[in-house]
């Protein structure tokens, strides 16, 4: 259910979820790969669909559809220094906004937000726009990412290389 | 006029070097569209993408959109997406099922086989001498031909047949199909579209460049515990082959035959795909099935735009002299659901804008595109292995997998097309 009531409890939840999302965004922008990887739950799924938002990633091609071990592989590749599409790393600044949260029946939190990412790389300067959906699991005082879905606004078109963490 | 217009095509292509301008000269690109893309056989799509009558899907020949349709009688048609009235695009959907296409501009309506069904407000054309409905249909790609379900189109009314064009390379498409227990591939997993600011020829050449993987892909080979790196090492027994007509291959079978382990080509084992192995044994008999499962699918570049990368199908689309789109999907083998699931998983990891492999290939394409615009030395040297290349039993040029035999073959054919 979408959290709309202005109770103190809800405002605290909204604040802590937003802060978590901003932290993730900053770790991505600044290429802190290990700290970013540590945000993921052991069964985390990182999904960037292609050709819309309602495809079945088990049947159709996605831009990214990483289980937890593939997220780790992605990070290990970035660490080699020979992931040429990120060597030199893109210069990134992203804004995450329009955060809305729901509490799911299993206690997990689903947050949705808009993301606008500026990327500068050897090719030039580019802007990416996306709808992000985070499924977060409480762990201690913070959260783990159980699933992150990044629905690029132009995911039905040909895209340039997307080798930074989106 | 371009800076290099004093050089004609023949001067820009020598046996082991090509002039950098061929990759960035706008005039050359326009010539290529006329002499290659709008003339020779170009891969358009696969029959399995249109399972039902009246299905259509948007495809392309070079920069031009092409509507691939299975018409009401089940025939595959390749239609230009251009109303013969005032040129409006009659279809803007990526795919669907439609008996008719109606141009939104003045409502001319066409059958999905192209014929003009009727004018809106027909009185304005009654009695007009040239308003002949039979001549005002959607233009069709003049020649359409299919090989093992792969549909090709040629914009030239006449020319070599598809069989002649494919020549010895047709056997590579046969080999792709063999990996299915039913002898057919399917294209059903949707496409990723990855664009790169680079000339299309860098992509075509890179697909069978066995020299680069050890370096460009060392990051992923190193961390993924992959056996692929060894296939492209200096010590590999794999071969590069030039089939003529621009078709080329990296033939990895010598390495897989040496290892003699079924499904090693796919980085897995028979134990992990028991259903697939059982279907293959039933279809081909155990001995033949074992051979097929050792050899694997080919690494094949069908000129100018179809690349089979063992487990993926790529379509290369030039959109401008320095802009190319790679359309890529996982190959799916009819009757092999357990294999197919892994095909999709591995494909998603490897290719497309975020792929562990293709993002780095694309990075090289773009750096090379910028590099060749520097003045000196003007030429690219493609002589690797020229001194050790030989003819195989079928008469095709072969050499070590890391040699530039494929590039030289591609340029030989390119020159023939551009000078024809
Ligand atoms: Fe490559």
């Amino acid at each position: 259910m979408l959290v709309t009531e202005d109770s103190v409890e809800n405002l605290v939840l909204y604040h802590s979820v937003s802060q978590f999302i901003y932290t993730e965004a900053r770790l991505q922008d600044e290429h802190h790969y290990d700290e970013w990887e540590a945000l993921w739950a052991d069964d985390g799924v990182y999904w960037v669909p292609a050709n819309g938002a309602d495809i079945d990633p088990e049947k159709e091609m996605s831009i990214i559809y990483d289980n937890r071990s593939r997220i780790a592989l992605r990070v290990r590749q970035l660490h080699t220094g020979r992931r040429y599409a990120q060597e030199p790393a893109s210069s990134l600044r992203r804004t995450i906004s329009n955060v809305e949260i729901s509490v799911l029946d299993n206690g997990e939190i689903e947050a949705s937000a808009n993301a606008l990412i500026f990327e500068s790389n050897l090719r030039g300067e580019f802007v990416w726009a996306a709808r992000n959906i985070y499924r977060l699991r409480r762990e201690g005082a913070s959260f783990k990412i159980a699933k992150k879905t990044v629905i690029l606004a132009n995911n039905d078109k040909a895209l340039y290389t997307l080798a930074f963490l989106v | 006029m371009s800076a290099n217009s004093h050089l004609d095509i023949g001067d820009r292509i020598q046996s082991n070097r090509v002039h950098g301008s061929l990759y960035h000269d706008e005039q050359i690109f326009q010539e290529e569209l006329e002499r290659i893309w709008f003339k020779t056989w170009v891969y358009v799509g696969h029959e399995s993408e249109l399972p039902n009558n009246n299905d259509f899907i948007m495809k392309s020949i070079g920069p031009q959109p092409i509507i691939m349709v299975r018409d009401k009688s089940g025939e595959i048609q390749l239609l230009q997406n251009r109303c013969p009235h005032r040129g409006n695009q009659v279809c803007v959907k990526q795919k669907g099922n439609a008996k008719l296409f109606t141009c939104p501009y003045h409502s001319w309506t066409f059958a999905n086989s192209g014929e003009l069904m009727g004018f809106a407000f027909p009185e304005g054309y009654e009695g007009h001498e040239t308003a002949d409905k039979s001549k005002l249909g959607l233009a069709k790609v003049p020649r359409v031909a299919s090989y093992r379900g792969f549909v090709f189109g040629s914009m030239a009314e006449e020319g070599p047949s598809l069989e002649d064009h494919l020549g010895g390379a047709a056997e590579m498409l046969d080999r792709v199909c063999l990996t299915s227990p039913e002898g057919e591939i399917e294209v059903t997993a949707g496409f990723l579209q990855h664009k790169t600011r680079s000339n299309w020829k860098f992509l075509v050449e890179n697909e069978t460049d066995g020299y680069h993987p050890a370096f460009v892909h060392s990051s992923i080979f190193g961390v993924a515990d992959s056996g692929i790196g060894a296939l492209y090492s200096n010590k590999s027994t794999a071969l590069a082959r030039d089939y003529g007509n621009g078709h080329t291959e990296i033939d990895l079978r010598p390495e897989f035959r040496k290892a003699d382990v079924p499904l090693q080509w796919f980085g897995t084992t028979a134990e992990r795909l028991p259903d697939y192995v059982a279907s293959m044994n039933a279809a081909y008999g155990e001995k033949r099935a074992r051979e097929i499962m050792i050899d694997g699918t080919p690494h094949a570049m069908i000129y100018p735009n179809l690349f089979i990368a063992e487990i993926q199908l790529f379509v290369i689309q030039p959109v401008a002299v320095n802009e190319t789109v790679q359309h890529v999907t996982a190959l799916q083998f009819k009757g092999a659901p357990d294999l197919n699931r892994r095909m999709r998983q591995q494909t998603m990891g490897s290719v497309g804008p975020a792929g562990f492999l293709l993002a780095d290939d694309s990075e090289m394409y773009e750096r090379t595109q910028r590099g060749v615009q520097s003045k000196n030395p003007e030429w690219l040297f493609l002589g690797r292995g020229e001194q050790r290349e030989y003819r195989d039993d079928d008469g095709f040029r072969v050499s070590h997998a890391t040699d530039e035999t494929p590039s030289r073959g591609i340029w030989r054919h390119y020159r023939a097309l551009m000078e024809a």
Side-chain angles (χ1 to χ4, degrees), chain B residues 289-307:
Chain B
R290 189 171 191 282
E291 288 168 1
I292 295 167
M293 289 188 287
I294 285 169
D295 282 352
T297 54
H299 187 103
M301 180 66 228
I302 305 289
Y303 196 83
N305 71 331
L306 171 63
F307 174 41

Side-chain angles (χ1 to χ4, degrees), chain B residues 206-207 209 212-213 216-217 221 299 357-358 360-362 365:
Chain B
N206 184 67
E207 310 304 17
D209 171 51
H212 82 278
V216 174
H217 304 307
F221 295 160
H299 187 103
L357 293 169
L358 266 288
D360 292 325
D361 286 310
S362 296
Y365 303 148

Side-chain angles (χ1 to χ4, degrees), chain B residues 209-360:
Chain B
D209 171 51
Y211 196 12
H212 82 278
F215 316 108
V216 174
H217 304 307
S218 68
S219 64
I220 194 65
F221 295 160
V223 297
D225 191 26
S226 156
I228 303 173
L231 303 174
Y232 295 98
S233 77
N234 210 10
K235 296 277 175 282
S236 173
T237 57
L239 300 169
R241 181 173 289 111
D242 165 17
Y243 282 93
N245 287 354
H247 312 308
T248 58
E249 169 183 32
I250 300 291
D251 186 354
L252 301 168
R253 287 174 296 180
E255 284 286 301
F256 298 138
R257 286 176 184 176
K258 200 170 62 175
D260 198 38
V261 180
L263 293 170
Q264 182 166 309
W265 68 273
F266 186 42
T268 188
T269 60
E271 290 69 43
R272 283 197 224 146
L273 291 171
D275 294 349
Y276 174 67
V277 174
S279 313
M280 289 295 283
N281 287 340
Y284 297 100
E286 275 188 37
K287 183 169 175 289
R288 182 70 186 120
R290 189 171 191 282
E291 288 168 1
I292 295 167
M293 289 188 287
I294 285 169
D295 282 352
T297 54
H299 187 103
M301 180 66 228
I302 305 289
Y303 196 83
N305 71 331
L306 171 63
F307 174 41
I308 306 282
E310 291 101 318
I311 67 169
Q312 294 109 19
L313 181 154
F314 287 77
V315 184
I316 297 168
Q317 182 193 11
V319 294
V321 64
N322 63 349
E323 187 101 339
T324 306
V325 176
Q326 311 164 72
H327 305 258
V328 59
T329 188
L331 280 172
Q332 301 283 274
F333 296 91
K334 211 168 181 182
D338 47 346
L339 184 71
N340 289 341
R341 195 184 63 79
R342 282 165 183 263
M343 289 273 161
R344 296 191 296 270
Q345 284 296 339
Q346 286 206 13
T347 294
M348 278 190 272
S350 310
V351 306
F356 295 134
L357 293 169
L358 266 288
D360 292 325

Side-chain angles (χ1 to χ4, degrees), chain B residues 34-109:
Chain B
E34 296 307 322
R35 293 172 184 271
I36 300 173
W37 293 92
F38 301 152
K39 194 168 176 187
T40 188
W41 289 101
V42 174
Y43 174 72
V44 179
H46 194 269
E47 287 174 6
S48 61
E49 294 177 84
L50 305 171
N52 306 308
N53 287 1
N54 305 315
D55 282 349
F56 70 88
I57 185 163
M58 199 61 74
K59 294 289 182 182
S60 61
I61 291 183
Q64 296 204 1
I66 295 288
I67 316 171
M68 183 166 96
V69 190
R70 188 180 289 278
D71 70 18
K72 53 195 171 301
S73 63
E75 288 287 300
I76 304 268
Q77 304 275 355
L78 301 180
L79 305 175
Q80 300 275 0
N81 190 15
R82 176 190 168 136
C83 182
H85 177 212
R86 294 222 205 169
N88 203 35
Q89 294 194 319
V90 297
C91 181
V92 294
K93 281 175 72 178
Q94 185 50 43
K95 58 182 170 182
N97 184 282
K99 293 195 175 85
L100 301 169
F101 295 106
T102 299
C103 177
Y105 195 7
H106 302 95
S107 210
W108 287 25
T109 298

